[in-house]
Amino acid sequence: MKELTSAEIKLGLYERKIKEMEARIEELTDFIESASIPLHWVDENGYIIWANQAELDALGFTKEEYIGSSITDFHADAQVIEDILTKLTNNETLHNYPARLKCKDGSVKHVLISSNVLRKDGKFIHTRCFTRDITELALEMKRKERLLQELEESDTRIKMAISSTNMGTWEYTPASAGLYLSPEAISIIGFPKDYTVDYASFLKTVHPQDRTWVHQGLNASLNASENETYSAKFKIIRYHDLSERWIHLQGKIISGSVSTDKRFIGTILDITEAMAAEEKNARLIAIIDSSNDAIISMNLEGVITSWNTAAEEIFGFHQEEVAGLPAHFFLPADKQHQAIDLLQQVSRGEKVKQFETRMNTKENGTIDVSITLSPIKDSKGKLIGFSKIVRDITEKKEEEQRKNSFIAMVSHELKTPITAVAAYLQMVLQKAVKEQDSFYISMISRADIKMKKMTTMVQDFLNLTRLEESRLQVTRQQLELLPLIREVVEDGQFLTTRHTLNVIGCEDINVFADREKLGHVLINLLSNAIKYSPQGDYIFIKCEPLNGKVRVSVTDQGVGIKESDQKRIFERFYRVKNQQINAASGFGIGLYLVSEILSQHNSQIQLNSKEGVGSTFFFDLEIV
């Protein structure tokens, strides 16, 4: 077996990393579209240009009703959205900005909005908005406020009201450093049930990097009005297991008869999962924006809804220029049907990976690309759109063309001397036979076999080059199958003394095929059967009439092929790795050519194989 060069090893590692990256990108793309946190983009004019399914589900609108509308149409407070847009236009970043959004069913949701603006060369491109639904918390806070207002003169009744809620609650009196935590709050922070909690012990659980500002923020809030709410997100180190968690602390000042009677009453929530989700979404957005591949999303009609920075660099269009255009817009006229075919294929649940075609750029040029197309589904598994990853492979194609040209040149240069040497060997062999010199007959016969192998290899390379340049000519005509098979078997028997070659059921069968190319298919299959059954034994070439066709099969009793290799064995330059056949020569193009030649005969090479038992390669041809 030919040893791999370092370049080939590096290429293999590189290709594997690329595939792993593509798979990761595919997973990440599906993740952002299916993320549980609502996301949307708004352009500089205040119009929504993209939203994920979580955003649509939260408000109850369809994409058609939501995307393209003014964001002001969905805010319950005009002054709030005006302030948000002003801050974003001034390049400010929003963190948990409270707002109220109108739902399709007429209800209103309380949310926290975190957003900033994507700018390119100082130009406003679109906002990046994360929306968190805090309706239940807001309603709970309002309910608590009503209860506290009604019961603030009675500590007992206040504590009863607090204990009736489903969230952790707390009460802090700064003057005495007294702290009350509800059982839910104690559980969140990780204190034992019988632990005596005070403000100092609580502050010790706050993460060291957050401890100072949390303490200062609470004290500073003492000067706030009763209508203002204290809100802080920070990390704690849980008391009992030392695990890090994120909590959201909210509170309100309640004043007593004197200033020293001021106290905080509020809620505490564990938001670790939400913070992790936000971080993952932010990381996903960063990965998509930094990808070297174009990442494009489309709706069910194949209309482009978004694409990343790499897409802008590859095709020369900004997202605003292509949003709303059909996917086939970038395909040459003679290839536009491919877009529809690919979308239908993915809709049926089939995979489209590394489909190669050509696409147009803004500068009226065309580039070679590899396309991977994936479905986008909502949380219920319903298909809602498509994502497309496009890789520019123009340089790769040019390199392949240079390589093919080199192979063709070398093969042509080798063909003439090989033909001459083969002729000389035949002449010498005839002389040796005439003189009945058994030694020279044996040596020259072996040399002739090696020469035929070289001739086949050169012919394979020439056919490969012609195939990739669309110059492989197939001229089909009626021919009798048995004489061709016998000729192939006769040549094949020269390659082995360990195997018995058997022809079964091929009499009186005529097919419509290119004799030379079909012979090439049979020679490749037979030589592989000999090569990959090193222990010898029987090889069968069988013809079986089947519904107006003949099934031609070549069966060996060799090492067999494992399932993972069966999926790729017909790829160009792919070779099976098996310690039992390490010495087998070849470049991995024989079965690729077999597959391509048969496809031009409206047929397909197929395989049944089991490791340690053997393999059967077969194909069908129409009987005439």
Side-chain angles (χ1 to χ4, degrees), residues 144-153 158 254:
K144 260 180 47 181
E145 288 173 4
R146 288 196 300 269
L147 290 172
L148 292 174
Q149 186 176 0
E150 294 172 1
L151 305 176
E152 70 176 12
E153 296 301 323
I158 288 176
I254 301 295

Side-chain angles (χ1 to χ4, degrees), residues 207-221:
H207 196 283
Q209 67 184 21
D210 296 330
R211 191 174 297 156
T212 300
W213 71 262
V214 169
H215 174 63
Q216 292 175 346
L218 280 168
N219 290 330
S221 296

Side-chain angles (χ1 to χ4, degrees), residues 176-340:
S176 62
L179 179 67
Y180 163 79
L181 297 178
S182 71
E184 294 82 7
I186 289 176
S187 176
I188 290 172
I189 299 175
F191 286 124
K193 292 183 179 179
D194 56 352
Y195 188 80
T196 301
V197 181
D198 57 18
Y199 179 73
S201 60
F202 162 73
L203 201 60
K204 287 181 180 179
T205 67
V206 179
H207 196 283
Q209 67 184 21
D210 296 330
R211 191 174 297 156
T212 300
W213 71 262
V214 169
H215 174 63
Q216 292 175 346
L218 280 168
N219 290 330
S221 296
L222 291 172
N223 299 321
S225 67
E226 291 191 8
N227 292 325
E228 293 185 40
T229 299
Y230 170 81
S231 178
K233 293 180 182 178
F234 52 89
K235 285 194 292 186
I236 63 168
I237 300 176
R238 299 187 75 195
Y239 182 86
H240 74 290
D241 61 8
L242 302 181
S243 62
E244 290 189 4
R245 306 291 292 179
W246 278 92
I247 65 169
H248 185 194
L249 203 67
Q250 287 188 305
K252 188 174 181 181
I253 287 288
I254 301 295
S255 297
S257 57
V258 295
S259 60
T260 56
D261 290 338
K262 281 187 176 182
R263 53 201 169 107
F264 278 108
I265 294 178
T267 61
I268 180 173
L269 290 174
D270 187 326
I271 58 169
T272 304
E273 285 72 23
M275 293 296 289
E278 286 185 11
E279 182 180 347
K280 287 181 180 178
N281 278 288
R283 189 182 300 118
L284 175 60
I285 291 173
I287 290 173
I288 291 175
D289 282 341
S290 62
S291 172
N292 292 326
D293 295 329
I295 302 176
I296 305 168
S297 62
M298 298 164 287
N299 61 20
L300 289 175
E301 288 70 41
V303 174
I304 296 171
T305 55
S306 70
W307 68 357
N308 65 344
T309 304
E312 295 182 351
E313 294 173 353
I314 291 173
F315 296 104
F317 291 94
H318 292 293
Q319 178 165 291
E320 294 75 10
E321 298 177 271
V322 299
L325 292 177
H328 61 71
F329 174 80
F330 296 96
L331 291 172
D334 62 334
K335 296 184 180 296
Q336 291 190 356
H337 65 281
Q338 292 178 345
I340 298 174

Side-chain angles (χ1 to χ4, degrees), residues 420-486:
V421 172
Y424 295 148
L425 285 174
Q426 287 297 320
M427 293 171 62
V428 176
L429 180 60
Q430 290 175 7
K431 187 175 186 301
V433 171
K434 185 176 180 180
E435 295 177 357
Q436 297 184 347
D437 189 329
S438 59
F439 175 78
Y440 282 108
I441 291 174
S442 175
M443 293 299 101
I444 296 171
S445 296
R446 292 182 182 181
D448 189 48
I449 290 172
K450 298 297 183 182
M451 188 58 61
K452 286 180 178 179
K453 283 187 177 181
M454 291 180 63
T455 302
T456 300
M457 291 171 61
V458 169
Q459 190 61 44
D460 278 349
F461 280 122
L462 287 173
N463 284 336
L464 177 64
T465 304
R466 291 169 185 151
L467 180 65
E468 296 186 340
E469 294 178 356
S470 301
R471 294 190 295 108
L472 185 64
Q473 299 296 322
V474 173
T475 305
R476 293 194 289 171
Q477 59 186 3
Q478 183 173 328
L479 63 91
E480 189 176 353
L481 197 54
L482 183 57
L484 175 61
I485 291 177
R486 282 178 174 168

